[in-house]
C-alpha cells in the first residue's frame, strides 16, 4: 500500500512539474552539427548494488561517465554537489534536487550479480522536463563483460540525447610499436575504443601495417612482411588464425579494405614499380583490376552501399582523391584544394570522406562532402595521418607522429566538428587505428 | 674514388676473383625483410677485397638517393648503378634484393608505392646494364625503415634511397 502511494505521488509530482517545464524548457537534445557548444551538465550517481554486484556497480557508473564526458558534449556533475542520493533504482526521482544543481540529464541504474552473470539496468531522465527520456533498459552478461555493458548504457544515453547512433561499445585494431625509429618493431593489437582491454594479435617478428576490421568485426585485414615482402593477410578475430590472400611472386600488395558485404577486398597491388587498385573475391580468390595507369593508386575505400570506391592517385602530378565505380572505370577527382590529399575513407553514414592532407609542411586530418565541397581541416601537426571513422560517423581516430628521434606515434581522436581532440592512452607508441563496427 | 678507378680495380682483380665466397652473406634464404637488412653483419668481408660484399657496399656504393617525391635516377645514381651492374656481371653467384625507401614526409601507403617505384627504377636500370632480371627482386619499405631518424632534410635525403642488398649463392 505504501509503495503504491509513493508511486502515485511520484506520478502526480512528475505531472505537475511536467506541465510548466515542457512549456518552458527546450527538449533535452544536443545537436552535434552545431558549432561551438556548451557541454550538457549531467549526473550519473553510482549505480545501486542490488546484491552480488560488488565493485561492478560503481565501476560501471564511472565508465559511463568517462564515455559521456569524453565526447566533449557532456559535463559530469560530481557526487559532492548532489542534494539527494539515489538509494534505490525504483525510487521516484527528486527532480527539484537535480534541477537545483543544474543537472539537465540524470542517469540512474542498478547492478545485480548471481553466478556467472551480472545484470545492469538503467533509466535516463530529462531533469527539467521532469520526465524519463525513453524507457528503462537492462543488459545481462558475464562479469568479464562489465565494461561492454557500461559502454552499451552510455551508447543508449548518448543516442537518446543526440539522436545519433552510439560508438562506445566498439573496438579498435591498431599497430603497437616498440624499439628505435630506424628498427621499429610492430605488432597488431586490439583494444576497446577507450584504450581498455588491450590484446596483442601477433608478435613483433614481422613488420605489420594498417589493420582493418571487417564490416561485422569478425575478421581483420592487414599487411605483413612475414615473407620478407609486403603482402595482405586475413585474420579471424575469433581464433586469430591467419591466411595469405594474394601472393604472386614479384608483386607487393598492401592497403586492403573490406567491401561493405565483407566478401571482397579492395587493395593496392604493385607490379614492376607501378601500383594499381584491385579487388579480390575472398571466397573464390578471383582478382579484378580496377585502375590501370602509371600513377600511384592506393588507399581505396568503399562507399557504404558498395557502389563506389574512393582512392588516391597522383595521376595529376600530386596525390589527389578520386571516386570511381566499384567496378572500375573513369574516376572523378573530388579534392581541389592546395596540397596533397591521401588515405581517403568513406564515412559509415555515406555523407563524407575523411582524408590526410599535406600542405606547407604540415599534415592535417580533414573531412569533405563526397563531391569535394565543404572541406574542413580538423587537425594540424608535424604528422597526422590515417583517419578511421567511429561507427556513427561522428568521431575520427588517427595517428599522430612526433618529429625526430624521440617522436613517437600515438592514437588521437577528434570530432568531425574539429572539437575534442584527445589522445587515447595505450601501452606504448601506437599507430594505424581502425575502428570496428558497433558491437552486437 | 672515381668510377674509372673502381672499374680498373675490378678489371685488375677479376682474375683473382674466383668465386670462393664462403657464405659471406650469411642467410641467403631471402627471408630477411624482418630486420630490414639483407646483410648478415658478420659476413661482409673486408672492403679492401673487391669480391666482398663490404667492397660492393662501400666502394661501389650499395645505394642511390632520390629527390623529394621522385623515383628518377640522378646522374650520380646511374654511375653507381653502372658500377653495381659491372660487379654483378663478374659475380654471377650473387642475386640482389633492391629495397626502396621513402622519407617520412608522406602517408604510409603512398610511401610504400613510392619506395616500390624507386626500387623498380634501380631494377630496370640494372637490367638495362645487362644484369639478368631473374637475379633481381624488389621490396619497398616506404617510410618504415629510415636510416637517419632526425626530421629535417639532412636525414630525409639519406632516407630517400634504394639499396641493393646482395644475396650470396642466390644468383644464376
Amino acid at each position: 500500500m505504501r509503495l503504491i502511494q509513493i508511486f502515485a505521488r511520484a506520478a502526480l509530482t512528475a505531472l505537475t512539474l511536467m506541465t510548466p517545464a515542457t512549456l518552458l524548457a527546450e527538449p533535452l537534445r544536443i545537436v552535434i552539427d552545431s558549432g561551438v557548444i556548451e557541454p550538457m551538465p549531467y549526473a550519473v550517481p553510482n549505480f545501486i548494488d542490488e546484491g552480488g554486484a560488488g565493485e561492478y556497480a560503481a565501476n560501471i557508473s564511472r565508465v559511463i561517465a568517462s564515455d559521456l564526458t569524453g565526447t566533449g558534449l557532456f559535463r559530469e556533475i560530481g557526487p559532492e554537489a548532489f542534494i539527494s542520493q539515489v538509494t534505490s533504482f525504483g525510487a521516484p526521482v527528486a527532480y527539484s534536487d537535480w534541477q537545483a544543481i543544474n543537472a539537465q540529464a540524470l542517469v540512474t541504474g542498478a547492478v545485480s550479480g548471481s553466478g556467472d552473470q551480472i545484470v545492469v539496468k538503467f533509466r535516463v531522465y530529462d531533469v527539467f522536463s521532469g520526465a524519463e527520456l525513453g524507457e528503462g533498459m537492462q543488459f545481462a552478461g558475464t562479469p568479464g563483460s562489465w565494461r561492454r555493458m557500461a559502454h552499451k548504457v552510455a551508447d543508449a544515453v548518448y543516442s537518446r540525447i543526440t539522436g545519433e547512433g552510439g560508438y562506445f561499445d566498439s573496438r579498435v585494431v591498431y599497430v603497437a610499436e616498440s624499439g628505435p625509429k630506424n628498427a621499429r618493431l610492430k605488432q597488431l593489437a586490439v583494444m576497446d575504443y577507450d584504450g581498455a582491454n588491450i590484446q596483442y594479435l601477433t608478435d613483433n617478428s614481422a613488420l605489420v601495417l594498417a589493420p582493418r576490421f571487417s564490416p561485422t568485426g569478425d575478421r581483420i585485414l592487414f599487411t605483413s612482411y612475414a615473407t620478407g615482402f609486403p603482402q595482405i593477410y586475413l585474420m579471424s578475430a575469433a581464433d586469430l588464425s591467419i591466411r595469405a590472400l594474394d601472393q604472386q611472386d614479384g608483386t607487393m600488395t598492401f592497403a586492403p579494405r573490406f567491401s561493405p558485404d565483407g566478401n571482397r577486398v579492395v587493395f593496392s597491388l604493385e607490379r614492376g614499380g607501378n601500383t594499381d587498385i584491385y579487388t579480390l573475391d575472398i571466397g573464390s580468390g578471383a582478382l579484378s583490376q580496377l585502375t590501370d595507369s602509371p600513377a600511384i593508386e592506393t588507399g581505396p575505400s568503399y562507399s557504404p552501399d558498395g557502389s563506389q570506391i574512393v582512392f588516391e592517385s597522383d595521376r595529376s602530378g600530386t596525390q589527389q582523391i578520386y571516386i570511381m565505380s566499384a567496378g572500375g572505370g573513369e574516376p572523378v577527382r573530388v579534392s581541389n584544394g592546395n596540397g596533397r590529399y591521401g588515405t581517403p575513407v568513406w564515412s559509415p553514414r555515406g555523407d563524407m570522406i575523411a582524408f590526410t592532407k599535406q600542405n606547407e609542411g604540415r599534415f592535417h586530418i580533414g573531412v569533405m562532402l563526397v563531391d569535394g565541397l565543404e572541406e574542413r581541416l580538423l587537425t594540424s601537426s608535424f604528422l597526422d595521418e590515417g583517419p578511421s571513422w567511429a561507427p556513427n560517423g561522428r568521431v575520427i581516430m588517427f595517428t599522430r607522429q612526433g618529429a625526430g628521434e624521440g617522436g613517437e606515434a600515438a592514437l588521437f581522436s577528434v570530432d568531425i566538428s574539429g572539437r575534442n581532440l584527445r589522445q587515447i592512452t595505450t601501452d606504448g607508441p601506437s599507430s594505424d587505428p581502425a575502428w570496428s563496427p558497433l558491437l552486437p | 674514388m672515381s668510377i674509372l678507378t673502381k672499374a680498373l680495380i675490378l678489371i685488375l682483380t677479376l682474375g683473382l676473383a674466383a668465386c670462393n665466397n664462403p657464405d659471406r652473406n650469411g642467410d641467403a634464404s631471402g627471408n630477411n625483410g624482418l630486420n630490414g637488412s639483407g646483410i648478415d653483419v658478420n659476413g661482409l668481408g673486408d672492403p679492401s677485397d673487391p669480391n666482398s660484399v663490404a667492397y660492393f657496399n662501400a666502394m661501389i656504393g650499395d645505394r642511390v638517393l632520390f629527390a623529394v617525391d621522385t623515383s628518377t635516377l640522378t646522374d650520380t645514381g646511374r654511375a653507381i648503378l653502372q658500377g653495381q651492374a659491372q660487379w654483378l656481371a663478374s659475380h654471377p653467384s650473387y642475386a640482389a634484393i633492391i629495397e626502396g625507401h621513402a622519407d617520412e614526409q608522406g602517408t604510409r601507403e603512398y610511401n610504400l608505392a613510392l619506395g616500390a617505384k624507386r626500387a623498380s627504377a634501380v631494377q630496370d636500370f640494372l637490367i638495362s646494364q645487362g644484369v639478368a632480371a631473374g637475379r633481381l627482386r624488389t621490396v619497398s619499405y616506404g617510410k618504415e625503415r629510415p636510416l637517419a631518424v632526425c626530421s629535417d632534410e639532412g636525414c630525409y635525403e639519406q632516407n630517400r634511397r634504394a639499396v641493393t642488398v646482395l644475396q650470396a649463392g642466390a644468383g644464376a
Side-chain angles (χ1 to χ4, degrees):
Chain A
M1 186 62 200
R2 185 161 169 271
L3 262 179
I4 292 166
Q5 279 180 333
I6 289 169
F7 276 114
R9 196 170 66 220
L12 200 65
T13 309
L15 265 179
T16 50
L17 275 173
M18 198 185 297
T19 311
T22 41
L23 290 175
L24 298 172
E26 300 267 317
L28 192 66
R29 174 54 62 104
I30 295 173
V31 180
I32 297 180
D33 280 327
S34 57
V36 176
I37 65 150
E38 189 64 27
M40 174 185 285
Y42 74 101
V44 51
N46 278 353
F47 281 18
I48 307 297
D49 178 0
E50 291 188 337
E55 71 275 22
Y56 294 119
N59 290 347
I60 285 171
S61 325
R62 290 309 90 211
V63 168
I64 294 166
S66 171
D67 284 345
L68 294 174
T69 304
T71 62
L73 302 172
F74 299 88
R75 176 173 60 81
E76 188 187 13
I77 297 172
E80 65 284 351
F82 294 174
I83 295 167
S84 61
Q85 304 298 323
V86 176
T87 52
S88 89
F89 184 61
V93 170
Y95 288 112
S96 58
D97 288 350
W98 301 103
Q99 290 166 357
I101 62 171
N102 195 34
Q104 294 185 39
L106 173 68
V107 182
T108 66
V111 185
S112 57
S114 65
D116 197 29
Q117 178 171 282
I118 57 173
V119 174
V120 180
K121 49 189 179 178
F122 74 97
R123 293 184 187 277
V124 188
Y125 297 94
D126 177 345
V127 169
F128 283 86
S129 296
E132 191 174 350
L133 189 67
E135 292 188 334
M137 285 177 75
Q138 73 173 38
F139 301 106
T142 60
S145 62
W146 70 271
R147 278 187 158 269
R148 283 201 55 198
M149 288 190 275
H151 292 317
K152 282 199 175 297
V153 173
D155 275 327
V157 175
Y158 175 94
S159 284
R160 290 178 191 184
I161 295 176
T162 65
E164 306 283 345
Y167 64 93
F168 307 124
D169 186 26
S170 62
R171 307 206 82 195
V172 171
V173 63
Y174 67 100
V175 172
E177 303 190 359
S178 57
K181 246 182 172 176
N182 57 359
R184 212 74 169 133
L185 297 173
K186 296 192 172 189
Q187 62 192 122
L188 296 186
V190 65
M191 63 181 189
D192 294 353
Y193 96 99
D194 58 1
N197 289 325
I198 291 172
Q199 284 174 265
Y200 295 93
L201 305 178
T202 65
D203 62 21
N204 60 19
S205 62
L207 186 62
V208 288
L209 304 173
R212 310 288 179 210
F213 266 116
S214 67
T216 57
D218 64 335
R219 290 161 296 160
I220 295 163
L221 284 166
F222 63 104
T223 302
S224 169
Y225 282 71
T227 63
F229 299 88
Q231 299 289 349
I232 57 174
Y233 292 83
L234 183 66
M235 174 186 279
S236 157
D239 61 11
L240 308 188
S241 61
I242 293 171
R243 74 177 172 100
L245 282 179
D246 183 72
Q247 284 190 303
Q248 302 171 56
D249 228 27
T251 69
M252 172 173 108
T253 52
F254 59 103
R257 274 184 204 277
F258 284 96
S259 60
D261 64 9
N263 294 330
R264 270 166 298 146
V265 179
V266 64
F267 63 103
S268 278
L269 186 152
E270 177 270 341
R271 189 194 306 271
N274 183 34
T275 298
D276 277 309
I277 291 171
Y278 288 70
T279 57
L280 178 79
D281 185 285
I282 295 174
S284 71
L287 201 61
S288 171
Q289 182 171 359
L290 300 191
T291 67
D292 184 9
S293 96
I296 290 175
E297 261 124 29
T298 188
S301 167
Y302 275 96
S303 60
D305 68 1
S307 69
Q308 292 174 292
I309 292 169
V310 64
F311 65 101
E312 61 169 85
S313 170
D314 67 350
R315 60 178 67 192
S316 73
T318 61
Q319 263 176 296
Q320 298 293 337
I321 295 173
Y322 295 78
I323 292 176
M324 65 180 166
S325 160
E330 195 56 34
V332 176
R333 177 170 161 177
V334 294
S335 60
N336 287 297
N338 295 325
R340 299 164 62 176
Y341 294 78
T343 75
V345 195
W346 216 302
S347 88
R349 300 157 62 102
D351 56 343
M352 281 194 276
I353 290 164
F355 55 84
T356 305
K357 177 169 176 165
Q358 276 174 270
N359 194 29
E360 296 176 346
R362 303 281 289 176
F363 278 74
H364 309 271
I365 301 297
V367 291
M368 59 173 68
L369 299 181
V370 296
D371 58 8
L373 298 177
E374 297 186 31
E375 174 180 321
R376 195 159 71 225
L377 299 183
L378 310 180
T379 73
S380 176
S381 90
F382 167 73
L383 209 178
D384 286 348
E385 70 171 302
S388 174
W389 290 94
N392 70 351
R394 287 298 176 185
V395 181
I396 285 170
M397 201 177 288
F398 61 97
T399 306
R400 172 165 288 182
Q401 169 89 48
E405 189 169 357
E408 298 287 15
L411 308 185
F412 278 74
S413 66
V414 66
D415 282 15
I416 57 168
S417 62
R419 289 182 297 105
N420 203 36
L421 177 71
R422 293 158 57 86
Q423 182 173 349
I424 289 91
T425 303
T426 50
D427 275 355
S430 306
S431 58
D432 292 359
W435 226 307
S436 79
L438 203 57
L439 299 176
Chain B
M1 190 184 303
S2 76
I3 296 299
L4 185 62
T5 317
K6 287 184 201 171
L8 276 173
I9 291 172
L10 271 176
I11 291 162
L12 288 171
T13 52
L14 273 178
L16 309 171
C19 287
N20 56 342
N21 296 307
D23 196 22
R24 288 182 192 282
N25 208 12
D27 175 21
S29 67
N31 291 334
N32 37 31
L34 308 182
N35 306 318
S37 162
I39 301 290
D40 175 345
V41 289
N42 297 314
L44 286 173
D46 185 335
S48 67
D49 171 4
N51 295 313
S52 70
V53 172
Y55 178 88
F56 179 92
N57 290 352
M59 306 303 280
I60 293 173
D62 65 347
R63 66 201 55 201
V64 297
L65 305 180
F66 295 87
V68 176
D69 197 20
T70 70
S71 55
T72 309
L73 296 171
T74 62
D75 290 345
T76 309
R78 273 191 289 269
I80 290 168
L81 295 177
Q82 280 165 354
Q84 289 186 5
Q86 287 162 12
W87 193 93
L88 286 164
S90 58
H91 296 83
S93 70
Y94 281 89
I97 294 182
I98 302 151
E99 298 179 349
H101 298 268
D103 67 32
E104 68 185 356
Q105 308 172 91
T107 46
R108 196 179 312 287
E109 294 167 344
Y110 180 86
N111 278 350
L112 276 178
L114 178 59
K117 280 179 79 170
R118 288 172 174 163
S120 185
V122 167
Q123 182 182 38
D124 289 348
F125 188 83
L126 290 175
I127 290 171
S128 78
Q129 298 297 301
V131 180
R135 296 172 67 189
L136 303 172
R137 286 202 67 173
T138 59
V139 63
S140 175
Y141 285 94
K143 60 176 173 178
E144 303 304 315
R145 287 288 178 266
L147 196 68
V149 295
C150 73
S151 291
D152 55 45
E153 180 53 24
C155 288
Y156 291 165
E157 67 179 359
Q158 300 174 59
N159 294 336
R160 292 190 299 264
R161 68 200 192 277
V163 184
T164 305
V165 180
L166 294 177
Q167 293 183 291

